[in-house]
Amino acid sequence: MTAGPATVEDAAPRSASARRRLPAEVALIPGLIVVALMLVWAVHDGGYDADTWYWGALVMVALLTAVLIGRGLRSVRISRAGQVALVAFALYVAWSYLSIIWAGSPGDALAGSNRALLYLVVFATMLVLPWTVRGVLIALVAFVVGVGAIAIVLLFRLASADHVAALVIGGRLAAPTGYFNSTAALFTIEALTAIVLASRRELPGLLRGGLIAFACAGLQLAVIVQSRGWLFTLPLVAIVAIVLARDRLRVVAAAVIPVAATAAPIHLLLHVYQATSPGPALDRAASHAGHTALLLCGLAFVIATVAAWVESLRPQREPSAARRRLLGAVVIASTVVAVGAGGAAATHGDPFGFISRQWQGFSHVQTASGGSHFTDVGSGRYDFWRVSLDAFLTHPIGGLGQDNFDDYYVTRRRTGEEPAWTHSLELRLLAHTGVVGFLLFAAFVVAAIVAALRGRRRPGLAGAAAAAALMPFVVWLIHGSVDWFWEFPALSGPALGFLAVAAALGRPDTEDVSSLRPVRMARTDRTDWTARTAPTSPPTAPTAPTAPTAPTAPTAPTARTVRPVARIAMLAAGGLALLAAVVALGFPYLSVREESVASNVRQTDPSRALQDLSTAADLNPLSADPGRVAGTIALTAGQYGTALRRFEQAISRDPGGWYGWFGAGLAASAGGNRAMARHDFEVARAINHHEPVVRLALDQVDSAHPLPPNAALQELALAVNG
């Protein structure tokens, strides 16, 4: 009679264990899909555009759902620190959605919250996958090879002078992300991860040589970008990376070739900036830099591959303590010399003067162009950060609302810039979501790092893989503290996704391997995690049979009895969360698609564009973008009544946006209602008193010839609305 329940109890663990024992290649498929999505974002302006990351978010939600259904919730193993990180991140996203209530622009808050949801889903998906060490290495190598291939293609395009003006803007490389600093960060992530992986002798020699070549290409392109934020944060990034890496001497040794291959042609790489204007001079500078960089990448590949093959022929021996200290001293001295030489080259031999000029340019907006953007001064970040702190002090609990910094800044700025972002991850959290959002995200970061460090402390290749998986997060967090990288899924995706992978490696049930070659698991390795970790007790002597006991009264239901109810409740909650995510992402995505279609036909068919934008406004009743774009199109087409209605719709959804009031004033002025036009222009000027066109319109609204919505204003409208 007792055999039945025992059999049922044993069946569930065996079933869960069977699901967990899927082949590593099958379990790796979702992870490679995420990596492929990261690469798609990288080549599509870093995934910044809403019509790019929105569909990616929907794909990620579907992928996470498939993973959870395929594995089963009971088979998902997450460490305690990983659970804390996941819950803290989920609470941050929930708080972000809640900020829509008090946000001045609810549509922007919804879009920002949806982007945060995307990152949460990326983190959760990579955390719950049944990673093996071999699978982690394959995913990391796939990411590095993908970004490295992008780098090699860019070098070929520079070498062949193939539409250089579309790649290099103002003498600085903007492709593939479309923003200088994010491009530098992307290639730094790729180079750093490649170097850490290439230091492992367990990898095939040919692969190690290729990783070093890709690292060379990434560092060379980062120099061509000439990002001052990259230059200032690079030493700290390098220090933290070396501290986190396993076998630090090997990592530093692996970095020698890429650093040397970048330092040797640095004058050619920096020379691209001097030819700022598109034309033959820029083409020649790009061609020289590209040819030299490709040659050095090929040479680095040969040297690194041969060195890896030679190393594989020798038995692996641990150096003595004295030899390790000597090697450490030599490596540190060489690193200091290399950093000093690079700093001297970047600052033209005047590092202290360079630092002084940069501080003056940071705290007092000015420009003093030199032969390199590294020596230029002038930045609006001081003012951005000043207003960000003011926003936090004014709204300390909940902040302005997710992604609501732009309207607040434009009324308090001391520069001519109109940034949408705070240019700092920490200030972004404080200004957008207040101290509550900051603490929730900080709790997520701390818990995730604790889980990842447990993976990094594992012996052998497992710890090295976890350390390599931390490299994207190191660059993203440090460089992102002085820039706006949160908005680029091509950076935030790898940073948070591979952070989750490192945290997953901290689980004690993660399979370890010694190389990338297939390894057959022993039968003992295939046992259930709970069975392997359960304490064992010594065998006891057999006892004599006992007399039958009298029947006992029925007991209260046990926890096992109510499990089906709890499981149904969990499934229902999960289904509701999935439905909410699809609705929150799906309708705004459809709205964005309608806006994109309208933008494509606005010149040839304004009526159809206005219809599409009306649909977009209905699909997302919080966003002011469809009204602003539709008002601009109607204004250009001379449909002033329609323009006024559309701009008023935008004002009702975003009353703090100056352009809606300005456009409504233009429509009212063109329609003969000067009193309304004056009022709208005055509101626009109160919001954005630095905008000269608004002052000009207000000055002329009462004149005999009021300012018409002419070509110059239409050009301004197109620029504002992208």
Side-chain angles (χ1 to χ4, degrees):
M1 297 295 293
T2 59
T7 304
V8 173
E9 290 179 19
D10 292 340
R14 281 199 300 269
S15 175
S17 179
R19 284 194 296 267
R20 287 196 303 277
R21 292 198 303 266
L22 289 173
E25 291 77 7
V26 176
L28 181 60
I29 291 175
L32 290 180
I33 292 175
V34 178
V35 171
L37 191 58
M38 295 174 185
L39 298 177
V40 170
W41 286 331
V43 297
H44 284 83
D45 292 333
Y48 176 78
D49 293 333
D51 57 353
T52 300
W53 66 258
Y54 256 122
W55 68 260
L58 290 168
V59 169
M60 285 303 310
V61 169
L63 183 62
L64 177 59
T65 304
V67 168
L68 293 177
I69 293 176
R71 294 202 64 199
L73 291 177
R74 296 183 62 184
S75 65
V76 173
R77 304 289 179 182
I78 304 176
S79 66
R80 184 64 58 85
Q83 294 175 22
V84 173
L86 190 59
V87 171
F89 202 167
L91 289 176
Y92 170 76
V93 173
W95 181 255
S96 178
Y97 278 110
L98 192 63
S99 73
I100 297 174
I101 297 174
W102 60 81
S105 175
D108 291 341
L110 174 62
S113 300
N114 284 338
R115 188 188 290 108
L117 175 62
L118 163 63
Y119 299 151
L120 170 63
V121 176
V122 170
F123 180 83
T125 302
M126 300 296 260
L127 184 65
V128 303
L129 286 176
W131 290 105
T132 63
V133 178
R134 178 168 175 258
V136 171
L137 290 173
I138 292 174
L140 286 169
V141 168
F143 174 75
V144 170
V145 170
V147 179
I150 296 171
I152 295 295
V153 169
L154 285 175
L155 287 177
F156 269 108
R157 292 190 62 182
L158 293 176
S160 60
D162 179 19
H163 295 87
V164 176
L167 308 175
V168 179
I169 301 174
R172 304 170 61 197
L173 180 69
T177 68
Y179 174 54
F180 309 114
N181 297 347
S182 60
T183 292
L186 176 67
F187 288 128
T188 304
I189 288 173
E190 173 263 326
L192 196 57
T193 309
I195 290 170
V196 174
L197 290 172
S199 68
R200 302 303 305 182
R201 63 179 295 161
E202 296 92 341
L203 272 63
L206 201 63
L207 176 59
R208 294 173 65 187
L211 292 173
I212 291 296
F214 288 139
C216 292
L219 289 179
Q220 290 163 346
L221 289 174
V223 171
I224 296 178
V225 172
Q226 298 202 32
S227 164
R228 286 173 294 178
W230 171 82
L231 181 66
F232 277 111
T233 58
L234 186 60
L236 183 57
V237 167
I239 291 171
V240 175
I242 292 173
V243 169
L244 290 176
R246 299 291 297 269
D247 296 323
R248 300 182 184 94
L249 295 180
R250 294 181 58 85
V251 171
V252 174
V256 169
I257 295 177
V259 171
T262 304
I266 195 167
H267 62 289
L268 293 176
L269 303 178
L270 296 176
H271 184 64
V272 176
Y273 177 75
Q274 299 175 9
T276 56
S277 301
L282 178 61
D283 291 345
R284 284 194 301 271
S287 180
H288 291 161
H291 277 107
T292 306
L294 286 171
L295 178 63
L296 289 172
C297 287
L299 184 61
F301 169 73
V302 173
I303 295 174
T305 302
V306 172
W309 284 342
V310 171
E311 184 184 30
S312 66
L313 298 177
R314 299 187 303 173
Q316 185 174 3
R317 296 176 181 175
E318 283 292 328
S320 63
R323 188 174 182 183
R324 289 179 67 87
R325 286 194 295 269
L326 177 61
L327 289 173
V330 172
V331 168
I332 291 174
S334 302
T335 303
V336 171
V337 171
V339 170
T347 60
H348 296 278
D350 185 18
F352 296 106
F354 170 75
I355 294 174
S356 176
R357 289 191 302 273
Q358 292 298 324
W359 172 253
Q360 288 296 322
F362 171 71
S363 57
H364 301 85
V365 179
Q366 53 182 304
T367 57
S369 180
S372 167
H373 185 72
F374 289 140
T375 60
D376 283 359
V377 296
S379 171
R381 279 175 174 75
Y382 182 86
D383 199 52
F384 305 162
W385 296 350
R386 175 188 64 82
V387 177
S388 298
L389 286 174
D390 179 74
F392 166 63
L393 295 175
T394 306
H395 305 81
I397 304 300
L400 301 170
Q402 191 68 275
D403 284 21
N404 268 244
F405 177 71
D406 51 351
D407 286 352
Y408 188 85
Y409 177 78
V410 78
T411 62
R412 294 161 176 82
R413 61 177 176 157
R414 297 174 183 171
T415 70
E417 300 181 68
E418 296 184 27
W421 319 111
T422 61
H423 288 64
S424 169
L425 174 63
E426 295 80 4
L427 290 176
R428 183 189 207 284
L429 295 168
L430 289 171
H432 289 200
T433 54
V435 68
V436 175
F438 180 86
L439 292 177
L440 287 173
F441 197 82
F444 154 71
V445 170
V446 171
I449 290 176
V450 168
L453 290 180
R454 289 175 181 170
R456 185 234 172 238
R457 286 194 294 268
R458 292 185 61 184
L461 197 57
L470 279 170
M471 295 301 113
F473 181 76
V474 170
V475 177
W476 179 82
L477 183 63
I478 295 176
H479 192 176
S481 295
V482 296
D483 223 312
W484 50 289
F485 291 165
W486 175 270
E487 288 74 26
F488 286 91
L491 300 179
S492 298
L496 299 174
F498 286 119
L499 174 64
V501 171
L505 283 175
R507 297 192 306 260
D509 62 328
T510 305
E511 175 200 350
D512 199 354
V513 293
S514 59
S515 71
L516 279 177
R517 298 178 180 87
V519 177
R520 184 181 299 276
M521 291 188 295
R523 187 173 187 82
T524 55
D525 291 333
R526 295 173 174 253
T527 57
D528 188 271
W529 179 80
T530 55
R532 287 192 283 117
T533 57
T536 58
S537 57
T540 57
T543 59
T546 58
T549 58
T552 58
T555 59
T558 62
R560 188 179 304 278
T561 306
V562 298
R563 273 184 183 172
V565 178
R567 192 176 308 153
I568 292 174
M570 290 178 61
L571 290 175
L576 289 176
L578 173 62
L579 179 62
V582 171
V583 171
L585 293 169
F587 284 99
Y589 172 61
L590 294 176
S591 176
V592 167
R593 289 302 305 158
E594 291 293 329
E595 287 184 52
S596 179
V597 172
S599 297
N600 293 334
V601 300
R602 63 190 301 172
Q603 300 294 335
T604 58
D605 194 350
S607 298
R608 180 187 168 188
L610 291 174
Q611 286 181 337
D612 292 334
L613 290 168
S614 179
T615 303
D618 293 336
L619 288 169
N620 187 351
L622 297 181
S623 177
D625 290 338
R628 282 193 290 256
V629 176
T632 301
I633 295 174
L635 199 65
T636 305
Q639 302 178 27
Y640 302 127
T642 301
L644 182 59
R645 290 192 299 273
R646 296 302 179 90
F647 279 122
E648 287 177 343
Q649 179 192 72
I651 292 171
S652 67
R653 299 182 179 187
D654 181 15
W658 72 271
Y659 185 73
W661 293 100
F662 176 64
L666 288 177
S669 176
N673 193 338
R674 296 187 179 185
M676 178 184 290
R678 187 187 312 107
H679 170 268
D680 293 343
F681 288 149
E682 286 175 348
V683 175
R685 186 178 65 171
I687 297 173
N688 189 358
H689 55 275
H690 285 287
E691 180 54 59
V693 179
V694 177
R695 294 198 301 270
L696 179 62
L698 188 59
D699 291 340
Q700 295 191 9
V701 69
D702 290 324
S703 66
H705 302 286
L707 188 69
N710 55 23
L713 293 180
Q714 296 168 18
E715 216 172 282
L716 171 67
L718 293 174
V720 171
N721 287 278

